[in-house]
């Protein structure tokens, strides 16, 4: 019933040339003793190391503290908004219940 439609490959138009194939070189190995590799000096690290100065560390701590305070404020405000909404819905339910109950007593 619901089958995916598989697209068909478009047929090429114009002159189609086959891909160029380059011949590979054939290397013959001889049985000569392998040369002794020269000692290699240790290479420099691929990524430079980051050194924190006291000012940078203080800036990072300040930025982290600011992020935590902002995220905390947003989460607390969302929780407070939910609590206020729930309380107002509860008050509305009590008022409606009271009105319905008083209507039944009048009859």
């Amino acid at each position: 019933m619901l089958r995916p439609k598989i697209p068909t490959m478009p047929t090429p138009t114009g002159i189609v040339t086959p891909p160029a194939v380059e011949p590979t070189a054939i290397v013959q190995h001889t049985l000569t003793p392998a040369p002794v590799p020269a000692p290699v000096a240790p290479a420099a690290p691929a990524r430079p190391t980051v050194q924190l100065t006291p000012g940078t560390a203080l800036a990072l701590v300040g930025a982290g503290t600011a992020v935590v305070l902002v995220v905390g404020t947003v989460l607390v405000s969302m929780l407070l908004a939910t609590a206020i909404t729930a309380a107002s819905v509860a008050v509305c339910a009590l008022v409606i219940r009271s009105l319905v109950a008083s209507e039944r007593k009048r009859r």
Side-chain angles (χ1 to χ4, degrees):
M1 185 170 140
L2 298 173
R3 294 188 178 193
K5 195 171 194 178
I6 301 173
T8 57
M9 291 293 293
T11 56
T13 57
I15 300 173
V16 178
T17 58
V21 178
E22 297 181 16
T24 57
I26 299 173
V27 178
Q28 293 182 351
H29 295 284
T30 58
L31 297 175
T32 59
V36 177
V40 180
R47 297 185 318 184
T49 57
V50 177
Q51 295 185 359
L52 296 176
T53 62
T56 340
L58 188 62
L60 285 175
V61 168
T65 304
V67 167
V68 167
L69 289 176
V70 168
V71 169
T73 304
V74 168
L75 291 178
V76 167
S77 65
M78 289 172 61
L79 181 64
L80 186 61
T82 304
I84 291 173
T85 304
S88 66
V89 167
V91 168
C92 289
L94 287 176
V95 169
I96 291 173
R97 180 178 158 196
S98 173
L99 288 175
V100 169
S102 66
E103 184 68 28
R104 285 185 187 164
K105 287 182 181 179
R106 288 185 190 174
R107 288 184 184 184

